[in-house]
Amino acid sequence: MQVGIDKIHFATSHLYVDMTELARQRGQAPDKFLIGIGQSQMAVIPPSQDLVTLAANAAYPMLTAEDAAAIDLVVVGTESGIDHSKASAIYVARLLGLNRRCRTIEMKEACYAGTAGVQLASDHVRVHPDKKALVIGADVARYGLNTPGEPTQGGGAVAMLISANPRVLAIDTESTVLSQDVMDFWRPPYRTEALVDGKYSSNIYIDYFQDVFKGYLEQTGTSANAFDALIFHLPYTKMGLKALRSALPMVSETQQQRWIAHFEASRKLNRLVGNLYTGSLYLSLLSLLIADPNLKAGDRLGLFSYGSGAEGEFYGATLQADYQQGIDLGLPQRLARRQRVDVSAYEDCFNGQLAWQPANQTLPTHNDPHRFILTGQKDQQRQYLDRCN
Ligand code: CAA
């Protein structure tokens, strides 16, 4: 029996900032952001969206009543938690109207936790093939205004339905992981922006990729040429390109050209959104599946997941014949319809998020077109609204 991703869907905000404009405002050459970082646009997350609403907005369009009845596990992987105790997955399950006989948990390990969720859910379904699991990687990436990390911000959520006999991607049971205590990126509880040693984190990312990719090939006796495409966690798309380049000497020239062409498709949508931490690898997967005309059923994909701190995992998966039926085909059009905001409006959004203080707060919501929104805080409880209820 095969287990893996049966459906995959993405949500971000309706706002973005243009990277050329941001570069000019910050006194940088636009090509540094467009080519050196590899980002063209960056999602601007308004105060009325947090990881919970992004997660619910990503999941609801893909779930049928039959799916909802079969889901008995909901995992939200996130770096952007809103509570030290309660799992965001409980809010998400409630907003989505899921079954109460359901495990609802939040997982944390920087950008890696979405993959931890996918692997946990896949093992769960292997034991209970009549059940389904909902895994969501949801984050708002925040480094701070006018910081080196600023052009690598963004936000959004990727929701994946994990099932037996999946339509999109069958996930192998074998993978290679690496976990070591590294201080490349972290966020103490009193901070709303990450602390990062940017250059160090980029070097560690490559070291981890090399370690788990080579480790995987040795462990499984696989040749690098066996992979039709490699996809990566993309904190910024140039990062993935650097990792890909580090693997090119391992394959033939023809294969190198194929890998580069697939990679270009896999970073197309990430270029327009920016980093979304836990969901980034899976947005790249979606980008590949939507934008690549040269994929075919049976293609072998290699996925590299990285979370600072640091944990990495490389695993293989096989593209399924009906993958077009399980993917978010309307996504490029939705991204194209977003509203461009100027740098000052982006900064207002950045500074306007719900304050971490006990007072009641009301957030501006009238311009946010999404179904699930955060309206504020009352009696120290976040207030979520489902516009369809
Ligand atoms: N035209 C073209 N390219 C230009 C250019 C121009 N005019 N000017 C500069 N560049 C290039 C530089 O040569 C450089 O390219 P290389 O990396 O290939 O050498 C690139 O643009 C970036 O320039 P700098 O290195 O000078 O940029 P910076 O010091 O301002 O910061 C950064 C870059 C370190 C990535 C910073 O944005 C950052 O700290 N980001 C957050 C950390 C991060 O994303 N780390 C990734 C690994 S960690 C991870 O993956 C987990 C996670 O999601 C957080």
Side-chain angles (χ1 to χ4, degrees):
M1 180 190 61
Q2 295 196 313
V3 167
I5 301 172
D6 185 56
K7 295 181 184 176
I8 176 166
H9 202 272
F10 175 71
T12 184
S13 89
H14 59 297
L15 308 174
Y16 76 91
V17 68
D18 183 81
M19 294 303 271
T20 300
E21 188 183 342
L22 183 63
R24 292 210 172 103
Q25 287 278 332
R26 299 299 186 236
Q28 302 283 346
D31 279 353
K32 175 175 174 183
F33 288 6
L34 300 174
I35 300 167
I37 297 287
Q39 296 299 135
S40 308
Q41 298 173 356
M42 186 170 82
V44 171
I45 308 299
S48 50
Q49 292 291 320
D50 68 1
L51 86 116
V52 169
T53 58
L54 289 166
N57 284 318
Y60 86 84
M62 71 177 191
L63 296 180
T64 62
E66 194 193 331
D67 293 330
I71 290 171
D72 70 345
L73 172 66
V74 180
V75 183
V76 174
T78 189
E79 185 272 357
S80 321
I82 43 114
D83 194 296
H84 291 312
S85 173
K86 180 167 172 165
S88 49
I90 295 186
Y91 293 107
V92 174
R94 193 254 296 169
L95 290 172
L96 295 173
L98 297 180
N99 197 333
R100 288 187 302 157
R101 305 261 179 238
C102 192
R103 288 195 183 113
T104 45
I105 53 171
E106 182 171 310
M107 296 181 97
K108 174 166 65 179
E109 186 359 65
C111 312
Y112 167 74
T115 296
V118 166
Q119 295 291 10
L120 175 84
S122 299
D123 286 346
H124 174 74
V125 172
R126 286 184 188 108
V127 179
H128 306 283
D130 55 327
K131 298 296 183 192
K132 297 182 183 184
L134 177 63
V135 178
I136 309 173
D139 274 301
V140 182
R142 291 173 64 91
Y143 289 94
L145 303 176
N146 259 307
T147 62
E150 184 181 34
T152 68
Q153 294 182 154
V158 178
M160 291 165 278
L161 189 66
I162 307 293
S163 78
N165 306 315
R167 265 171 287 195
V168 179
L169 209 58
I171 293 175
D172 295 359
T173 49
E174 276 193 276
S175 74
T176 301
V177 295
L178 176 65
S179 180
Q180 295 175 121
D181 187 357
V182 177
M183 292 307 282
D184 61 334
F185 167 110
W186 67 105
R187 188 161 66 82
Y190 50 82
R191 287 188 62 95
T192 53
E193 285 80 50
L195 292 166
V196 64
D197 187 338
K199 296 255 161 48
Y200 181 52
S201 71
S202 302
N203 292 337
I204 296 284
Y205 175 113
I206 298 286
D207 291 350
Y208 265 59
F209 167 64
Q210 283 286 324
D211 184 289
V212 293
F213 185 43
K214 288 180 182 157
Y216 177 92
L217 299 179
E218 274 171 33
Q219 183 185 317
T220 59
T222 311
S223 150
N225 283 294
F227 286 104
D228 295 288
L230 298 184
I231 56 172
F232 300 86
H233 165 57
L234 295 178
Y236 52 98
T237 75
K238 176 78 169 289
M239 185 76 254
L241 182 61
K242 287 184 186 187
L244 181 74
R245 284 177 178 157
S246 78
L248 292 179
M250 298 166 75
V251 293
S252 65
E253 260 183 47
T254 320
Q255 184 71 323
Q256 291 183 11
Q257 295 315 315
R258 276 197 214 113
W259 276 6
I260 290 167
H262 287 308
F263 176 78
E264 287 305 327
S266 77
R267 69 164 163 169
K268 206 169 168 188
L269 300 183
N270 299 66
R271 275 192 81 92
L272 307 178
V273 173
N275 201 352
L276 56 143
Y277 294 162
T278 49
S280 164
L281 168 64
Y282 299 97
L283 177 60
S284 178
L285 169 64
L286 202 40
S287 185
L288 178 78
L289 301 184
I290 291 172
D292 198 324
N294 297 317
L295 287 178
K296 57 187 186 317
D299 276 354
R300 294 282 298 149
L301 308 186
L303 295 88
F304 173 61
S305 182
Y306 177 76
S308 291
E311 189 149 349
E313 179 162 350
F314 183 89
Y315 67 97
T318 306
L319 192 63
Q320 300 298 287
D322 294 332
Y323 75 91
Q324 296 270 353
Q325 291 176 25
I327 64 176
D328 184 356
L329 287 171
L331 176 55
Q333 290 73 30
R334 289 204 311 282
L335 291 176
R337 283 198 301 268
R338 289 176 304 167
Q339 180 191 334
R340 177 173 166 172
V341 295
D342 61 20
V343 172
S344 148
Y346 143 66
E347 291 181 346
D348 288 346
C349 284
F350 189 90
N351 292 325
Q353 72 160 14
L354 198 70
W356 294 92
Q357 57 189 36
N360 288 352
Q361 299 166 59
T362 304
L363 294 171
T365 56
H366 52 283
N367 288 328
D368 188 332
H370 291 96
R371 173 172 169 182
F372 297 108
I373 53 171
L374 173 67
T375 61
Q377 175 172 282
K378 192 173 165 210
D379 300 332
Q380 303 194 59
Q381 298 174 20
R382 286 192 174 225
Q383 302 296 305
Y384 292 110
L385 177 69
D386 176 357
R387 286 205 166 107
C388 293
N389 261 344

